[in-house]
Amino acid sequence: MWTAIDRTSGTPLFRQIYEAFRQRILHGELQGGDQLPSTRDLASSLQVSRTVIVEAYEQLLAEGYIEGRRGSGTFVAEGTLLPLIEPSVPAARSVPHDSQPLIRDGLVNPDLVDFRHGIPALDLFPKKLWGDLAKRICTEASPEAFGYGRPEGRHELRGVLARYLRRSRGVVCEPEQLLVTTGATQAISLVAKLLLNGKSDVLVEDPITSDIHTMFSLPGAKLHPIPVDDSGMITDLLPSDISPKFVYVTPSHQFPIGGLLPIQRRVQLIQYAARTGSYIVEDDYDSEFRYEGAPVSSLQGLDPERVVYIGTFSKILSPALRMGYIVLPASLIERARGLKWLTDLHTPSLEQLILAEFIEEGYLDRHIAKMKKLYRKRRDFLIRQLRHSFGDAVRILGHSTGIHLIAEFAGISFTPELLSVIEENGVRVYPVAVHAFRRDVQRHRIIIGYGNLSESRIEEGIRRLSASLKKE
């Protein structure tokens, strides 16, 4: 029985194993009466001490999840399925979580080629320049900068950011409409708290990142998935019998499929929102890296009073910065500031001042231009490798923007078992189905991220993927 173990985590191993089994029992993956492996067999399989397994089993036994039967072994107890954790939230994954390393013989495998999406080229973050700006800011900043800040963020960053967004994305806003957040995840969470209440209706793309399923479902909202095609959300399928609180879209680069929402669908979406009294939440997570055609203007620029615009610097610069933002219609600003204050008071001030200087002095534009050339080169190389290894057996989607693409393989279903085989061969890919409501439709597609991989690693990863699939 495979269970992910993160030996770099501060969580004790027995606790990780206990939690993995607990979740499987609650979600019904392990059902009442199912027999568990012996402590000796499981310890051997996971390459841990038998004592660790015994501790995990004892904790499960104490809480009633499992029971021992004399002479027969250990079994899942009856009455442990919890259906209430189901609503609209995807079932627990049977594939490794994005952040978990591959374990071989109890050690992290440094040779793993991880095609994780959403990760920029971390080795090319402008560390020296950022450090020089940080030193200057810390030396020259007023004492006020080291105290408590405003929940909406530093006025220096909001002013610079408003000008940048008007120029680069066609966003219509004033600095007062901006709320600086600790990454896009906090921005999306704040929007959920701001706009949702019990039993709210929300329209989302299908597929869309699995985290969205969870964040919007937790406040009790009912999610209505709208299918996407190669051009994003199919707006002809917007329901006429409900009035959702908002429609969540990724119009400039649909995640994960990659479509660009055309103007006809944008107009149709705005008209729908006006007719139903809904907001539109636009997540613009990586559209700076567009390789074909002119840059795409934001949806927000078409209707600033109805669209909530979310952006992040995690894909442009680094996830470690934890810096994102929301552009809000005027009617939502005060309530959003209050929610932000109650969440974490404010986003770290010094980082905001450094970022403001980085943008104002033109470094951000130069960094984006440099990285765009690099990512285009890596994308083209990846496509060549896929074509070389799979020929007409692979269809490539969503490659015009961003730092990932979709590879579609007719006749191949990326089941947890197949993904495990692929990972055992030293390469990790990500199934689109994890992010889908209708998983069967997406079972033959995988997400391949390339932003943080050199050409040599890309080549090796596709070679290993090809070898894995040829065994099927």
Side-chain angles (χ1 to χ4, degrees):
M1 183 172 292
W2 187 89
T3 298
I5 297 175
D6 185 355
R7 296 175 188 271
T8 66
S9 169
T11 304
L13 294 181
F14 91 89
R15 192 76 190 179
Q16 294 184 42
I17 296 169
Y18 152 81
E19 186 62 34
F21 275 86
R22 175 178 174 272
Q23 289 299 322
R24 289 180 180 180
I25 292 169
L26 288 173
H27 286 236
E29 292 181 51
L30 292 173
Q31 300 180 3
D34 286 351
Q35 185 170 11
L36 300 185
S38 71
T39 55
R40 191 180 305 279
D41 288 346
L42 188 57
S44 175
S45 174
L46 297 181
Q47 294 291 302
V48 298
S49 163
R50 187 183 177 198
T51 303
V52 170
I53 306 300
V54 170
E55 285 187 77
Y57 275 21
E58 286 179 347
Q59 185 66 32
L60 292 165
L61 183 66
E63 296 183 22
Y65 290 100
I66 62 175
E67 58 188 15
R69 299 178 188 173
R70 185 180 298 274
S72 298
T74 304
F75 296 80
V76 177
E78 298 291 344
T80 50
L81 175 65
L82 184 60
L84 293 179
I85 56 178
E86 287 285 358
S88 302
V89 181
R93 300 177 186 180
S94 54
V95 295
H97 187 275
D98 287 359
S99 63
Q100 291 173 334
L102 177 66
I103 304 296
R104 280 190 192 279
D105 301 325
L107 300 173
V108 176
N109 177 15
D111 190 43
L112 174 70
V113 179
D114 190 347
F115 284 110
R116 183 175 177 180
H117 49 88
I119 308 295
L122 301 179
D123 58 326
L124 294 179
F125 178 80
K127 292 182 287 187
K128 185 179 186 308
L129 173 59
W130 193 267
D132 291 342
L133 291 175
K135 181 178 180 181
R136 191 167 87 202
I137 293 297
C138 287
T139 303
E140 299 177 0
S142 66
E144 169 268 338
F146 294 87
Y148 286 107
R150 296 285 303 168
E152 63 268 27
R154 297 287 307 189
H155 67 89
E156 296 94 338
L157 177 57
R158 289 184 293 115
V160 169
L161 196 50
R163 293 193 296 275
Y164 169 77
L165 291 173
R166 282 196 296 267
R167 170 174 56 82
S168 66
R169 303 293 301 115
V171 172
V172 178
C173 71
E174 298 299 327
E176 293 73 25
Q177 293 175 253
L178 274 156
L179 186 72
V180 179
T181 63
T182 308
T185 300
Q186 186 187 59
I188 295 168
S189 179
L190 285 172
V191 167
K193 294 176 183 177
L194 184 65
L195 297 179
L196 299 180
N197 50 48
K199 299 183 179 179
S200 299
D201 291 305
V202 176
L203 306 186
V204 298
E205 298 166 330
D206 183 22
I208 193 64
T209 176
S210 58
D211 292 338
I212 293 298
H213 302 194
T214 304
M215 284 190 281
F216 291 164
S217 296
L218 287 177
K222 181 178 181 181
L223 273 60
H224 300 266
I226 309 298
V228 306
D229 58 18
D230 292 355
S231 297
M233 177 181 278
I234 305 174
T235 48
D236 285 340
L237 300 179
L238 292 169
S240 58
D241 57 342
I242 62 172
S243 295
K245 289 291 184 179
F246 62 83
V247 183
Y248 179 89
V249 289
T250 52
S252 295
H253 186 219
Q254 199 282 325
F255 182 88
I257 304 303
L260 168 64
L261 197 68
I263 186 59
Q264 294 83 1
R265 294 190 185 184
R266 294 180 182 225
V267 169
Q268 193 174 1
L269 179 57
I270 288 172
Q271 290 174 338
Y272 175 84
R275 186 168 63 252
T276 59
S278 311
Y279 286 100
I280 299 169
V281 177
E282 176 181 10
D283 187 349
D284 193 11
Y285 64 98
D286 72 352
S287 64
E288 289 83 2
F289 302 122
R290 180 163 175 77
Y291 313 115
E292 299 172 9
V296 180
S297 295
S298 67
L299 182 63
Q300 190 269 359
L302 298 177
D303 194 349
E305 286 306 309
R306 196 167 296 280
V307 179
V308 176
Y309 180 88
I310 294 174
T312 178
F313 290 96
S314 293
K315 312 298 186 292
I316 307 174
L317 288 170
S318 166
L321 295 181
R322 306 310 310 133
M323 199 73 73
Y325 53 88
I326 315 174
V327 178
L328 294 154
S331 59
L332 299 176
I333 294 171
E334 285 307 315
R335 283 187 55 223
R337 288 176 179 174
L339 284 171
K340 170 67 173 171
W341 177 258
L342 293 174
T343 301
D344 62 357
L345 298 185
H346 63 90
T347 299
S349 298
L350 296 179
E351 283 79 357
Q352 292 185 58
L353 291 172
I354 298 167
L355 180 58
E357 194 83 354
F358 190 82
I359 298 172
E360 183 72 1
E361 295 190 9
Y363 297 125
L364 179 63
D365 287 331
R366 291 196 283 274
H367 182 73
I368 290 174
K370 173 184 175 181
M371 301 312 295
K372 187 174 177 179
K373 291 179 182 177
L374 174 69
Y375 295 147
R376 182 199 294 270
K377 185 180 178 185
R378 289 182 176 178
R379 179 205 65 166
D380 292 347
F381 184 80
L382 170 59
I383 291 174
R384 288 198 299 272
Q385 292 301 308
L386 287 167
R387 294 292 185 211
H388 174 74
S389 294
F390 301 104
D392 294 336
V394 64
R395 179 183 175 220
I396 298 169
L397 301 86
H399 57 281
S400 66
T401 307
I403 49 178
H404 77 266
L405 54 76
I406 301 298
E408 176 182 293
F409 296 85
I412 294 180
S413 181
F414 288 93
T415 62
E417 293 76 18
L418 177 56
L419 292 168
S420 293
V421 169
I422 294 171
E423 187 148 330
E424 286 171 4
N425 286 336
V427 61
R428 179 178 291 167
V429 294
Y430 297 84
V432 173
V434 168
H435 304 285
F437 290 83
R438 299 179 304 152
R439 296 192 172 192
D440 58 318
V441 177
Q442 305 294 342
R443 66 186 184 278
H444 54 302
R445 292 172 169 176
I446 53 175
I447 310 169
I448 302 182
Y450 53 84
N452 194 38
L453 291 174
S454 66
E455 291 186 4
S456 62
R457 296 297 284 165
I458 291 172
E459 181 177 17
E460 177 62 18
I462 298 303
R463 186 193 66 76
R464 295 177 185 180
L465 176 63
S466 177
S468 301
L469 296 185
K470 286 177 180 176
K471 295 178 181 179
E472 291 300 302

